[in-house]
Amino acid sequence: MSSSHQATQAPPGKILAMLLAFLLACTAGGFALAGLAMPFVAAAGTASNATTSLFDDLPTELTFTEPSEQSVILAADGTELARFYAENRVVIGSDDISKYLKDAVVSIEDERFYEHNGIDPQGLIGAAFNNFTGGRLAGGSTITQQYVKNLLIEEGRNSNDPDLIAEATERTIARKLSEARTAMAIEKQMTKDEILTGYINIVMFGPSQYGAEAASQYFFSVSAKDLTIPQAAMLAGITQSPARWNPVTNPEEAKSRRDTVLAKMYELGYISEQEFRDGVNQSIEEMLNVSRPVNGCESAGISVYFCDYVVKDLLASDSWGESHEDRLNQLYRGGLVIHTTLDPAKQQAAYDAVTTQVPVNDPSGIEMAMSSVTPGTGEITSMVQNTNYGTATAEDPNATTVNLNVGTDRGGGYGFQSGSTFKVYTLIEWIRSGRSVQEQVNASRDEYTRDDWTISCAPELADAYNPSNIEGIGSGMMTVLESTTKSVNLSFIDMATQLDLCNITGVAEQMGVRTGNGEPLMPRPSAVLGSNNVTPLSTANSMATLASGGIMCEPMSFTKIENQEGDTIADISPTCSRVLDEEVADTTTKALQTVVADGGTGFRAQVAGHDVAGKTGTANMDYHAWFMGYTSHEATAIWLGHMEGNVSMFYTTINGQYNVEVYGGLYPALAFSSYQTRILEGVEPEPFNLQTTDGDTGGATILPQGRDNPSIRQATPTPVRPAPQPSPEPEPSEEASEEPPAEDPPAEEAPEPPAEEQPSPPAEDTEGDG
């Protein structure tokens, strides 16, 4: 039988009479109404005259919500990261549906589909007679009527309207009459093939599979266009009762149903006798090749945390959708295509760099996280950590759903103490205020009173402070440049007392640095050495600001969103602004190049043939270790530590190597070098093109700040409070340029996994240590 059959028009009155007879029989009255129905059918002429107007005045414009469809998130190169759906459906065109499936659906659901005009009088009579005589309950609805019903149900689901769903499924004459009118109207506006294709895309072909494509992929791991005759017959049979005819859970009943469909196909001439016999002889086990879909980011592999970040970024973005609820509904039902900034090659390089240094579930229990950003655009190119996504177990003690690269608003934690990486912002403010990196500062003074600080935005945070240098590193008077190269704590404290701490934290925030909880950076004295809790992504972004010559771009995780029709509904451009003068940014870069040069604390971060600038950092007690740096192409930040909070990494065995101390110039710097070396393979070196002050103020006015600024400091000094006794400093800490001695004792036992999934914030007054 060909799909090109022309529909034979039946008189509307006759159709209505038969339809009403059937409907009366199916309503609550049952057999009591059956007697009433018979004279109603006999009076077809009267019924016809009374109701012709119902069908003469058919709708001329029909609009329905598009079927709910999977949304897909893509990497920058178009490869798939993840799919999201409320209903597992992939809408496809007629050409992508097997002819066998179309024939099977028509055979078992509506054998006169190509002959009627939306409602089938013969089918209605047969169904009514069967119901009247106590046979198996039958509905008599055509494919077109079922299509109408499913469209209305889908509209209710998409709009989250349970009343609309109830109206579409209620067993009333009014509903069936409305359904019949709409079916006849659809037949006037759509071809038979369009109706059949729409039906095959919307109905359930499994307990949680909507449409033929999703069902074909699930049951057989093939596309709907490649279905065999037995496969097509099985799917067509499932729609009547998806749970009952499920071949995975009820193979015997599913085989019986499939064979019924095959017999009907043979009876109607769609398949030959041999094809029928071959079909029924094939076992269910031979047919099935189940592929269970993953709904959400867990299918993204090593990119699962980035995917989770994208989802939260999408839902928070006002660049599309009317509200958070609307965006969520579109993500799971709208069939969106979301293009992200992730570079799969760089993502793999980042993951390899991190897990080579600290493998997943290393016995040390230490985590490492890395984020990278493109200067000048803010595009996030990679985001990884050395944990599996999920809940921690005895077999997978470091598993977590917390994204260690970001803050709580994007699925992360409270951040981690930045250690000496935060010295960069004191250096920038020093240069920005017109000072030179060749000026000398005091690298020995280790006692400060509350009157030594200028904190214009929060003067109550001023307090006595007793920092220290690492033993043997820094003393006397040193230049700012040498102090930067060797990361001398006391030099930067002296610099900070000549500045306003609010300007230091302010410039950090202007460059993109963020705390994990979204609170402002606290400009207390210990902030100079890194007591604020910041996130790897935001610190990477601040490095991208320097790499771009002072232009800060908000981090971008996605660039474009397309709807089901392929129309662009959001086209995201970089959001950038200049936050530093180019000379300030470039002078800072030139200073930070010495950190990565031989003799600097970050020498292990070197990338052969390429200019690199960066800064190491280690928090007090070796709680956290960092390296943040950049080339002309990309900025990267790496954090190392324990995600549950401040846990010392002294005397720790990592990846089989025993360490007396763990600092930013070791594992994080090595990970940076490994990553950047790999992504820059075959890339032409692009030296930094620096416009620096080179230590000269260039005629700029040096702004009075800190204790030199009479507009901020009081003319009469405030009485000094007694300085509190300093806490004992650890021996040693991070910034020693010499590699600590390595020993080879047995690896220490891994600590217990944290009880809470969300990392807890450290105490606010925890001091950074260089």
Side-chain angles (χ1 to χ4, degrees):
M1 184 175 294
S2 169
S3 61
S4 62
H5 289 297
Q6 298 295 316
T8 302
Q9 299 295 321
K14 183 177 180 182
I15 293 171
L16 177 62
M18 295 176 179
L19 174 63
L20 292 178
F22 166 67
L23 290 171
L24 288 169
C26 291
T27 51
F31 288 109
L33 287 173
L36 296 175
M38 291 302 99
F40 194 93
V41 174
T46 303
S48 175
N49 292 333
T51 60
T52 296
S53 61
L54 286 174
F55 291 90
D56 287 342
D57 188 22
L58 296 175
T60 57
E61 293 186 9
L62 297 170
T63 57
F64 290 100
T65 300
E66 290 291 329
S68 172
E69 190 174 359
Q70 295 179 1
S71 291
V72 60
I73 293 180
L74 304 177
D77 66 352
T79 55
E80 183 178 313
L81 293 178
R83 289 181 177 269
F84 295 81
Y85 54 84
E87 297 169 2
N88 183 15
R89 175 186 288 110
V90 179
V91 176
I92 54 177
S94 176
D95 293 342
D96 291 321
I97 301 174
S98 165
K99 181 180 181 302
Y100 298 135
L101 180 60
K102 293 179 180 180
D103 293 342
V105 167
V106 170
S107 297
I108 199 65
E109 291 294 328
D110 185 4
E111 64 182 82
R112 283 173 294 277
F113 173 69
Y114 296 110
E115 300 168 5
H116 62 64
N117 61 352
I119 53 177
D120 180 16
Q122 188 173 340
L124 288 173
I125 294 172
F129 181 79
N130 198 50
N131 294 339
F132 297 155
T133 58
R136 188 171 184 174
L137 187 64
S141 294
T142 65
I143 285 176
T144 312
Q145 289 174 272
Q146 293 181 58
Y147 180 44
V148 170
K149 177 180 177 180
N150 279 278
L151 283 172
L152 293 172
I153 293 172
E154 187 66 11
E155 188 169 353
R157 288 172 176 157
N158 286 350
S159 59
N160 194 27
D161 186 346
D163 292 337
L164 189 57
I165 296 173
E167 290 173 9
T169 55
E170 62 185 1
R171 294 175 64 86
T172 64
I173 293 177
R175 195 270 295 179
K176 292 296 287 185
L177 281 173
S178 176
E179 182 182 281
R181 292 184 73 245
T182 306
M184 294 179 67
I186 282 179
E187 291 272 352
K188 291 181 176 294
Q189 297 181 29
M190 299 174 63
T191 66
K192 288 289 186 179
D193 188 65
E194 288 171 343
I195 295 169
L196 184 57
T197 298
Y199 172 82
I200 288 175
N201 273 310
I202 201 169
V203 297
M204 293 181 69
F205 285 99
S208 59
Q209 289 73 42
Y210 293 79
E213 181 65 19
S216 300
Q217 295 286 356
Y218 173 73
F219 288 115
F220 312 120
S221 299
V222 301
S223 296
K225 65 181 179 181
D226 297 322
L227 290 170
T228 64
I229 293 173
Q231 290 170 341
M234 177 174 288
L235 288 189
I238 289 175
T239 56
Q240 184 193 62
S241 180
R244 179 182 180 185
W245 306 123
N246 183 357
V248 175
T249 56
N250 301 308
E252 292 185 5
E253 289 200 56
K255 183 180 185 305
S256 174
R257 177 65 174 171
R258 180 205 65 184
D259 292 350
T260 298
V261 177
L262 288 170
K264 195 66 176 177
M265 292 176 73
Y266 172 58
E267 175 191 331
L268 297 175
Y270 286 114
I271 59 175
S272 67
E273 181 178 354
Q274 187 60 50
E275 288 171 328
F276 166 73
R277 294 187 183 280
D278 291 343
V280 297
N281 287 331
Q282 189 170 12
S283 69
I284 299 298
E285 185 179 357
E286 290 177 307
M287 294 176 61
L288 292 180
N289 182 18
V290 175
S291 296
R292 301 185 186 277
V294 178
N295 185 5
C297 284
E298 290 188 47
S299 63
I302 63 172
S303 302
V304 59
Y305 295 102
F306 173 79
C307 175
D308 187 64
Y309 177 89
V310 170
V311 170
K312 291 178 172 59
D313 217 16
L314 283 165
L315 298 180
S317 174
D318 59 5
S319 63
W320 70 290
E322 297 177 359
S323 63
H324 181 281
E325 183 180 6
D326 176 52
R327 290 188 284 270
L328 184 65
N329 189 57
Q330 288 193 59
L331 175 64
Y332 279 88
R333 292 186 175 275
L336 306 177
V337 178
I338 300 154
H339 300 265
T340 73
T341 60
L342 189 78
D343 184 319
K346 291 181 178 181
Q347 180 77 348
Q348 188 64 57
Y351 184 78
D352 292 345
V354 164
T355 56
T356 295
Q357 296 302 319
V358 188
V360 176
N361 287 323
D362 187 76
S364 65
I366 287 174
E367 288 85 28
M368 180 180 271
M370 175 192 290
S371 285
S372 293
V373 175
T374 301
T377 67
E379 293 184 354
I380 303 168
T381 55
S382 62
M383 178 184 285
V384 298
Q385 59 194 63
N386 68 330
T387 62
N388 294 320
Y389 188 88
T391 303
T393 63
E395 296 75 25
D396 195 357
N398 284 25
T400 180
T401 58
V402 176
N403 186 340
L404 303 178
N405 282 285
V406 300
T408 54
D409 65 334
R410 293 294 187 272
Y414 292 99
F416 310 100
Q417 290 179 356
S418 60
S420 286
T421 59
F422 209 81
K423 291 173 182 174
V424 168
Y425 312 109
T426 298
L427 175 63
I428 290 170
E429 184 58 23
W430 179 268
I431 297 168
R432 192 167 70 159
S433 69
R435 290 167 166 84
S436 167
V437 297
Q438 300 301 333
E439 289 187 44
Q440 292 200 337
V441 291
N442 193 333
S444 294
R445 184 183 174 187
D446 59 2
E447 292 185 7
Y448 291 86
T449 70
R450 69 187 309 272
D451 289 308
D452 287 312
W453 306 101
T454 299
I455 313 177
S456 60
C457 58
E460 70 279 4
L461 295 179
D463 204 351
Y465 189 42
N466 298 88
S468 66
N469 284 332
I470 297 169
E471 185 176 356
I473 302 298
S475 64
M477 300 301 290
M478 299 178 65
T479 66
V480 169
L481 181 60
E482 184 182 4
S483 300
T484 300
T485 305
K486 297 180 179 180
S487 195
V488 180
N489 288 348
L490 295 182
S491 294
F492 278 85
I493 295 298
D494 186 44
M495 292 162 62
T497 61
Q498 301 177 53
L499 304 168
D500 187 335
L501 297 191
C502 297
N503 291 343
I504 294 173
T505 55
V507 76
E509 290 177 334
Q510 289 168 9
M511 294 173 63
V513 179
R514 301 290 182 265
T515 61
N517 62 5
E519 294 295 320
L521 295 168
M522 297 300 291
R524 54 171 52 92
S526 60
V528 178
L529 300 183
S531 62
N532 277 294
N533 305 311
V534 299
T535 64
L537 175 61
S538 71
T539 55
N541 201 41
S542 74
M543 293 297 95
T545 300
L546 289 174
S548 63
I551 297 173
M552 194 282 285
C553 301
E554 295 293 339
M556 285 178 60
S557 65
F558 64 96
T559 58
K560 185 168 64 173
I561 307 173
E562 297 168 321
N563 62 17
Q564 287 172 305
E565 289 74 36
D567 299 326
T568 298
I569 61 174
D571 197 354
I572 312 301
S573 299
T575 304
C576 304
S577 61
R578 177 167 291 282
V579 297
L580 298 176
D581 289 342
E582 187 172 5
E583 292 80 6
V584 172
D586 287 356
T587 302
T588 305
T589 292
K590 188 171 183 179
L592 295 182
Q593 284 186 272
T594 69
V595 174
V596 184
D598 292 342
T601 59
F603 72 94
R604 293 182 181 86
Q606 294 176 14
V607 180
H610 295 270
D611 283 358
V612 177
K615 186 68 186 73
T616 54
T618 306
N620 189 35
M621 296 296 293
D622 286 12
Y623 290 144
H624 310 280
W626 294 77
F627 184 83
M628 61 183 194
Y630 52 98
T631 66
S632 296
H633 301 278
E634 188 152 293
T636 300
I638 301 108
W639 163 85
L640 179 77
H642 292 271
M643 65 178 171
E644 59 265 37
N646 292 334
V647 179
S648 177
M649 293 186 287
F650 283 153
Y651 314 114
T652 301
T653 299
I654 299 176
N655 197 14
Q657 176 67 49
Y658 180 74
N659 305 274
V660 173
E661 56 178 330
V662 177
Y663 50 96
L666 189 56
Y667 294 101
L670 288 169
F672 176 90
S673 176
S674 174
Y675 171 68
Q676 292 283 349
T677 297
R678 183 161 161 186
I679 68 171
L680 292 174
E681 287 179 4
V683 176
E684 188 71 23
E686 185 178 335
F688 291 129
N689 181 21
L690 303 179
Q691 307 296 321
T692 71
T693 61
D694 253 348
D696 184 1
T697 63
T701 301
I702 299 178
L703 304 176
Q705 297 198 25
R707 58 177 176 239
D708 300 321
N709 191 338
S711 67
I712 296 177
R713 304 303 300 165
Q714 296 181 8
T716 303
T718 303
V720 179
R721 293 183 299 177
Q725 292 297 313
S727 301
E729 298 292 324
E731 293 268 353
S733 190
E734 174 256 331
E735 301 294 354
S737 60
E738 296 296 323
E739 185 173 358
E743 302 176 26
D744 295 301
E748 297 178 1
E749 184 177 352
E752 290 297 315
E756 295 293 331
E757 187 65 41
Q758 181 74 22
S760 57
E764 288 188 353
D765 59 354
T766 303
E767 177 189 322
D769 185 28

